[in-house]
């Protein structure tokens, strides 16, 4: 029991630290330079300046996330989990708490690269521990419910581009849009590197005596398809179901933790997938 308590404390401490890095990326680099790199943070940055600094970035992000969560539950019945709710709230709080930290540079190139990199590191840490920080990803999933022929990733990209264009128009500076694109690029690359998922997707081959339970959990909790393959242990001559599952890179840690929680003796093979065609991936 004590070990489990320390594990929970460790996970939430890590999520808090990751959220702190994201908050610092906003206050040290992005917000002072009016770089709105998509997402709710980008919208909040625009609102902050339009309101003449009266509406804090963090609280605006939280205000945008609340209706998105409610709409998500009603539309697609998403199970957010306590960690994701915590990550969303703590990021908003830390963003406003750290506003006292002075901007490091007003050089747009440095702010874009280092702001995006710091944000990528923070988001990767949050994802590694099974949480999210809310944002436009929820809106993308809701929209995908109605236009399923467009992938969630494409919708998310479209929303980020729309936020960048909006910020460029409001600030009357289209160069800021280009800097925002650079920020998104740096952020995504750092997330990929930390999650060890530089490719589009990952394939997991899982061999376990509890394959039925594992498959059911993946289907229900991750909403990912699982294929059962017939296998025979050549030493024991025992027949087993071998599970094949393809997931997006940020979902790898969730699958590994899920398998470990069910069967610590499970044999798991993780490999890169260069391209995936089908529902939930490229079409």
């Amino acid at each position: 029991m004590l070990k489990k308590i320390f594990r929970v404390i460790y996970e939430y401490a890590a999520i808090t630290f990751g959220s702190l890095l994201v908050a610092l990326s906003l206050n040290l680099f992005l917000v002072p330079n009016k770089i709105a790199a998509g997402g709710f943070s980008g919208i909040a940055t625009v609102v902050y300046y339009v309101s003449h600094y009266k509406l804090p970035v963090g609280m605006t992000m939280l205000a945008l996330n609340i209706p998105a969560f409610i709409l998500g539950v009603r539309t697609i019945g998403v199970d957010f989990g306590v960690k994701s709710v915590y990550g969303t709230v703590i990021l908003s709080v830390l963003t406003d708490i750290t506003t006292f930290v002075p901007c490091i540079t007003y050089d747009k190139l440095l702010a874009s690269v280092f702001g995006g990199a710091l944000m990528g590191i923070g988001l990767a840490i949050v994802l590694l521990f099974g949480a999210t920080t809310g944002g436009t990803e929820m809106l993308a999933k809701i929209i995908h419910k109605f236009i399923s022929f467009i992938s969630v990733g494409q919708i998310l990209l479209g929303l980020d581009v729309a936020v960048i264009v909006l910020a460029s128009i409001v600030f009357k500076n289209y160069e800021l849009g280009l800097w925002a694109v650079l920020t998104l690029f740096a952020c995504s690359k750092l997330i990929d590197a930390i999650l060890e998922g530089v490719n589009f997707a990952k394939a997991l081959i899982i061999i376990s005596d509890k394959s039925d339970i594992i498959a059911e959990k993946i289907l229900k909790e991750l909403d990912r398809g699982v294929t059962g393959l017939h296998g025979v242990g050549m030493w024991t001559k025992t027949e087993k179901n071998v599970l094949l599952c393809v997931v997006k890179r940020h979902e790898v840690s969730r699958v590994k933790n899920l398998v470990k929680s069910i069967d610590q003796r499970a044999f798991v093979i993780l490999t890169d997938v260069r391209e995936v065609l089908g529902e939930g991936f490229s079409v």
Side-chain angles (χ1 to χ4, degrees):
M1 178 62 72
L2 189 61
K3 185 178 180 181
K4 185 177 181 180
I5 292 175
F6 279 119
R7 174 67 181 177
V8 171
I9 293 174
Y10 173 69
E11 289 178 350
Y12 278 88
I15 294 170
T16 302
F17 178 68
S19 299
L20 176 62
L21 294 183
V22 177
L24 289 175
S25 74
L26 292 170
N27 289 317
L28 290 176
F29 300 103
L30 304 181
V31 175
N33 286 283
K34 296 184 177 180
I35 297 176
F40 283 167
S41 63
I43 297 175
T45 300
V46 174
V47 172
Y48 175 69
Y49 282 100
V50 170
S51 66
H52 302 290
Y53 319 111
K54 294 179 181 178
L55 296 177
V57 173
M59 289 302 101
T60 301
M61 289 165 55
L62 184 60
L64 291 170
N65 271 302
I66 291 174
F69 279 147
I70 294 174
L71 186 59
V73 171
R74 291 183 175 180
T75 306
I76 52 182
V78 175
D79 180 12
F80 303 107
V82 178
K83 288 182 181 179
S84 293
V85 174
Y86 175 79
T88 301
V89 174
I90 197 64
L91 173 59
S92 299
V93 172
L94 290 175
T95 298
D96 287 344
I97 288 178
T98 57
T99 52
F100 69 90
V101 180
C103 176
I104 290 181
T105 178
Y106 287 96
D107 182 293
K108 295 295 189 293
L109 176 59
L110 293 176
S112 299
V113 174
F114 285 96
L118 188 59
M119 178 176 286
I121 295 172
L123 289 175
I125 293 173
V126 172
L127 290 171
L128 276 173
F129 287 88
T132 67
T133 56
T136 49
E137 183 179 353
M138 177 52 60
L139 289 181
K141 290 180 179 178
I142 295 171
I143 296 173
H144 177 69
K145 179 72 175 180
F146 299 99
I147 48 174
S148 57
F149 58 90
I150 302 178
S151 70
V152 174
Q154 291 172 330
I155 296 172
L156 186 58
L157 177 61
L159 290 174
D160 285 337
V161 170
V163 172
I164 292 173
V165 172
L166 173 65
S168 301
I169 295 173
V170 172
F171 294 141
K172 298 179 180 179
N173 187 336
Y174 295 99
E175 284 189 357
L176 290 175
L178 299 179
W179 293 124
V181 172
L182 181 59
T183 301
L184 280 177
F185 179 78
C187 179
S188 64
K189 286 300 179 182
L190 261 295
I191 291 176
D192 287 345
I194 294 175
L195 295 182
E196 298 182 346
V198 295
N199 296 290
F200 182 80
K202 297 284 188 177
L204 295 101
I205 299 173
I206 305 166
I207 303 173
S208 169
D209 292 327
K210 301 178 181 179
S211 58
D212 290 343
I213 301 175
I214 293 172
E216 183 178 1
K217 288 285 187 180
I218 293 175
L219 288 168
K220 290 184 177 180
E221 296 186 12
L222 273 72
D223 194 26
R224 283 293 175 196
V226 185
T227 300
L229 306 175
H230 178 71
V232 179
M234 298 309 295
W235 176 259
T236 62
K237 305 301 180 181
T238 303
E239 295 186 357
K240 291 184 179 181
N241 282 326
V242 179
L243 303 180
L244 173 62
C245 180
V246 178
V247 298
K248 292 184 178 179
R249 50 184 174 260
H250 66 271
E251 297 173 325
V252 171
S253 60
R254 292 182 62 189
V255 177
K256 289 165 64 178
N257 291 334
L258 184 150
V259 173
K260 187 177 180 181
S261 67
I262 297 173
D263 183 7
Q264 293 190 352
R265 300 184 62 184
F267 191 78
V268 181
I269 301 173
L270 178 64
T271 182
D272 292 330
V273 177
R274 297 296 178 181
E275 185 177 10
V276 184
L277 303 177
E279 185 177 353
F281 295 93
S282 299
V283 293

